[in-house]
């Protein structure tokens, strides 16, 4: 397999893992399982079994035993599996260093810094992640059995962490907003129900070995059997301070009736998912449900952000056509998001923290951690000088720490809220390599 068609009309669904090309089911339940490899031979045995249990994109619509099993490896995991040094050296620097080493750059400081992360996240114990998803608890049980078959009798493989995730009853994030609406459409991905209603993005933005938006072929790790059809995953456990968010809205909205508006201005969408750009005055649930309309907008008619503030979460995370004055090609900074919720919902109206851990497992897939995930996190969300605004950060995920400012352009005068706390705290995270099926086979066959 040395000659590769980098402009394939259709992607090789049987070789690419399902989580890359298609959304998790809706509704969904899931489990993340982290493994540590203590013995090479058992690591090899695990790889061999993964070949039977991992769900490729080709199987995704006809789930393997009713559920989906996907796998990723940290750099240390690949080392422990005996991947040769030349190949290890060919991975990007950010991946080799790991997320914890990148913490300062990512804004994971103070209470979000790795010394406060939940064990074993960010330590040298995490080698493998299994992501199990299903549409019912019963089907998830099948996936858990598959995961069990992969490692349970291998003494050199230990389960070091498990986290259950699931859709909140209202289908929204803990802050009360619909998520997972906007995702790029990948060129060559024609799977039924493939994600994304937008213009196509070249496959090389998300997969190694394909032409990317800059017109070059995205180089992955070597050899080609290891890299082609693989990608990176940034996985982060983000605790959400829901009560603090509600209190902030209560204290800073002009009236009770305006609390939802203030929150929507911060997100850029209404709770239903309807974008402010198309529904600037009130929520429009029918628009929020309409998969053909809810993501069909630009910011061309709203350069100053009167409808959707320039500093809102979605405008910072993907500025669409907002940055033309800054000559930025936004398509080289995209992510495939596969995030899921964890923890119990804080009942409506509760304004005090109940001490429970709840939040989002952010999962961003890309072919360049630095140009995509890290760039969005540092330059756009936590941004030094995003769109010429140097004093603000993303109000939802930014490192605001009680000093944040958020401007809502309005006429005759703008509205500005201050002393924003950080509503999202990093509890840990890792960078993973999501190999193709060919790459797993290649690793099995290594001497
Ligand atoms: C506490 C953590 C977070 C919450 C609650 C959150 C919530 C949301 C919500 C409600 C949306 C709107 C739905 C949609 O457009 O799909 C959204 C969009 C988005 N978020 Fe986040 N998010 C979080 C963290 C992040 C992080 C860490 C990143 C990237 C590093 C990110 C990147 C994006 C992107 C790229 C979009 C789509 C924007 C667009 O295409 O218009 N988010 N997020």
């Amino acid at each position: 397999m040395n000659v590769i068609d980098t402009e394939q009309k259709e992607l090789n669904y049987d070789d690419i893992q399902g989580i890359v090309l298609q959304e998790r089911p809706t509704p969904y339940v899931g489990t993340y399982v982290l493994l540590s490899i203590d013995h090479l031979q058992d690591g090899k045995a695990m790889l061999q079994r993964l070949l039977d249990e991992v769900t490729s994109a080709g199987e995704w619509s006809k789930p393997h035993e009713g559920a989906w099993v996907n796998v990723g490896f940290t750099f240390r995991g690949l080392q422990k599996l005996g991947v040769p040094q030349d190949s290890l050296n060919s991975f990007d620097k950010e991946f080799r260093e790991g997320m914890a080493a990148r913490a300062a750059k990512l804004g994971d400081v103070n209470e979000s810094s790795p010394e406060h992360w939940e064990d074993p996240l960010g330590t040298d114990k995490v080698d493998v992640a299994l992501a199990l998803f299903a549409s019912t608890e019963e089907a998830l049980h099948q996936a858990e059995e598959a995961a069990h078959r992969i490692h349970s009798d291998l003494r050199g493989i230990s389960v070091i962490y498990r986290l259950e995730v699931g859709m909140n009853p209202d289908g929204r994030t803990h802050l009360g907003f619909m998520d997972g609406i906007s995702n790029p459409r990948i060129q060559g991905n024609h799977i039924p129900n493939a994600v994304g209603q937008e213009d196509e993005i070249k496959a090389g933005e998300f997969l190694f070995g394909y032409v990317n938006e800059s017109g070059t072929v995205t180089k992955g790790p070597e050899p080609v059997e290891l890299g082609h059809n693989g990608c990176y995953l940034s996985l982060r456990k983000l605790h959400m301070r829901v009560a603090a968010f509600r209190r902030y809205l209560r204290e800073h909205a002009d009236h009770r009736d305006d609390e939802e508006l203030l929150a929507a201005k911060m997100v850029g969408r209404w709770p239903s998912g309807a974008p402010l750009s198309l529904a600037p005055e009130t929520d429009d649930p029918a628009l929020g449900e309409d998969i053909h309309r809810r993501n069909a907008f630009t910011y061309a008619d709203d350069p100053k952000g009167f409808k959707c503030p320039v500093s809102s979460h979605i405008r910072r995370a993907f500025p669409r056509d907002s940055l033309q004055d800054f000559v930025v090609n936004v398509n080289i900074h995209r992510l495939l998001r596969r995030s899921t919720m964890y923890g119990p919902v804080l009942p409506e109206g509760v304004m005090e923290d109940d001490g429970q851990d709840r939040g989002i497992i952010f999962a961003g897939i890309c072919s360049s951690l630095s140009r995509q995930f890290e760039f969005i996190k540092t330059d756009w969300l936590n941004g030094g000088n995003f769109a010429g605004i140097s004093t603000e950060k993303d109000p939802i995920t930014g490192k605001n720490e009680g000093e944040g400012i958020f401007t809502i352009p309005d006429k005759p005068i703008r509205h500005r809220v201050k002393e924003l706390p950080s509503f999202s705290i990093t509890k840990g995270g890792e960078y993973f390599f999501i190999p193709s099926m060919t790459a797993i086979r290649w690793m099995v066959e290594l001497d």
Side-chain angles (χ1 to χ4, degrees):
M1 156 159 136
N2 282 325
V3 180
I4 283 177
D5 179 0
T6 55
E7 291 261 30
Q8 263 170 256
K9 295 273 177 299
E10 285 231 323
L11 298 172
N12 184 345
Y13 307 134
D14 293 332
D15 201 34
I16 301 169
Q17 289 199 45
I19 194 169
V20 183
L21 297 188
Q22 210 156 13
E23 281 272 24
R24 48 168 169 62
T26 303
Y28 67 90
V29 278
T31 312
Y32 279 102
V33 182
L34 299 184
L35 306 174
S36 187
I37 304 170
D38 307 316
H39 196 280
L40 175 63
Q41 282 319 316
D42 283 346
K44 292 275 201 189
M46 174 192 68
L47 283 174
Q48 179 69 51
R49 295 175 192 184
L50 282 168
L51 284 171
D52 293 329
E53 306 294 355
V54 165
T55 318
S56 71
E59 294 169 294
W60 192 249
S61 53
K62 224 178 347 145
H64 181 53
E65 298 190 39
W68 297 272
V69 179
N70 283 145
V71 67
F73 299 92
T74 60
F75 184 67
R76 283 177 302 274
L78 297 174
Q79 277 177 318
K80 290 191 189 169
L81 287 166
V83 171
Q85 196 59 45
D86 283 358
S87 295
L88 292 171
N89 293 345
S90 65
F91 281 90
D92 286 349
K93 178 169 168 279
E94 308 76 48
F95 174 69
R96 285 186 272 125
E97 289 184 358
M99 191 183 282
R102 315 281 298 167
K105 180 175 170 56
L106 293 172
D108 289 335
V109 295
N110 303 334
E111 50 189 346
S112 285
S113 72
E115 71 207 70
H116 301 301
W117 286 5
E118 200 176 309
D119 190 63
L121 304 175
T123 69
D124 58 7
K125 294 178 236 170
V126 183
D127 298 324
V128 184
L130 296 176
L132 318 174
F133 293 117
S135 44
T136 61
E137 289 286 354
E138 205 186 347
L140 182 63
H141 188 65
Q142 305 284 326
E144 301 215 317
E145 285 187 348
H148 204 65
R149 281 195 293 278
I150 291 168
H151 62 77
S152 61
D153 59 330
L154 300 174
R155 299 183 66 183
I157 305 291
S158 345
V159 175
I160 52 171
Y161 187 78
R162 297 175 68 87
L163 183 71
E164 285 168 15
V165 294
M167 197 166 109
N168 287 344
D170 60 2
R172 300 178 180 181
T173 68
H174 288 285
L175 299 185
F177 285 75
M178 192 61 80
D179 192 11
I181 294 173
S182 175
N183 255 318
R185 196 149 61 91
I186 312 170
Q187 192 172 58
N189 182 9
H190 302 131
I191 282 186
N193 300 327
V195 201
Q197 310 296 322
E198 308 164 24
D199 293 344
E200 282 187 341
I201 298 286
K202 299 264 192 217
E205 292 299 319
F206 308 108
L207 288 164
F208 304 131
Y210 293 86
V211 173
N212 56 38
E213 286 288 320
S214 308
T216 58
V217 174
T218 305
K219 232 167 98 30
E222 290 164 359
V224 74
E225 289 82 353
L226 177 64
H228 190 60
N229 285 331
C231 55
Y232 292 121
L233 167 72
S234 161
L235 198 70
R236 285 163 77 73
K237 183 175 184 199
L238 303 175
H239 169 79
M240 276 148 80
R241 291 195 163 146
V242 181
F245 184 67
R246 291 179 186 169
R247 283 199 305 274
Y248 189 85
L249 299 177
R250 178 76 34 103
E251 285 159 17
H252 292 81
D254 291 339
H255 311 283
R256 279 276 181 103
D257 292 350
D258 288 341
E259 287 175 26
E260 188 175 274
L261 175 64
L262 175 56
K265 290 279 184 186
M266 289 183 184
V267 174
R269 289 186 186 269
W270 292 96
S272 73
L276 291 181
S277 297
L278 299 179
E281 305 292 336
T282 49
D283 198 353
D284 179 349
L287 173 61
E289 276 175 26
D290 188 335
I291 58 165
H292 299 292
R293 288 194 298 138
R294 65 187 183 182
N295 209 26
F297 64 92
T298 66
Y299 300 113
D301 63 342
D302 187 26
K304 300 253 185 282
F306 287 112
K307 291 197 274 183
C308 181
V310 178
S311 242
S312 63
H313 177 66
I314 68 161
R315 200 156 167 172
R316 280 182 167 266
F318 175 38
R320 301 181 188 228
D321 55 348
S322 292
L323 298 183
Q324 280 169 359
D325 293 350
F326 299 84
V327 200
V328 176
N329 177 3
V330 289
N331 284 344
I332 66 170
H333 305 297
R334 305 297 307 277
L335 279 175
L336 297 171
R337 289 176 305 129
R338 302 287 185 265
S339 304
T340 45
M341 296 302 125
Y342 76 89
V345 172
L346 186 68
E348 213 179 312
V350 174
M351 305 298 277
E352 290 306 321
D353 189 22
D354 60 357
Q356 299 276 338
D357 187 14
R358 58 174 62 82
I360 188 167
I361 300 297
F362 171 84
I365 292 172
C366 55
S367 63
S368 165
L369 289 164
S370 64
R371 178 168 49 77
Q372 293 165 289
F373 168 69
E374 291 194 349
F375 180 89
I376 297 173
K377 185 74 183 63
T378 57
D379 286 55
W380 283 354
L381 294 178
N382 261 339
N385 194 19
F386 175 78
I389 306 173
S390 58
T391 46
E392 300 189 15
K393 297 180 171 52
D394 171 27
I396 302 295
T397 69
K399 183 171 67 75
N400 284 304
E401 302 185 313
E403 295 175 351
I405 300 171
F406 176 61
T407 305
I408 304 166
D410 204 354
K411 285 174 186 156
I413 48 164
R414 67 175 178 231
H415 186 58
R416 188 168 266 171
V417 289
K418 295 186 178 160
E419 295 174 355
L420 268 167
S422 301
F423 296 121
S424 145
I425 306 300
T426 310
K427 291 269 206 163
E430 297 283 350
Y431 289 149
F432 292 95
F433 166 57
I434 305 193
S436 66
M437 303 306 289
T438 304
I440 299 177
R441 207 166 294 117
W442 179 83
M443 289 194 280
V444 171
E445 287 164 7
L446 284 173
D447 277 341

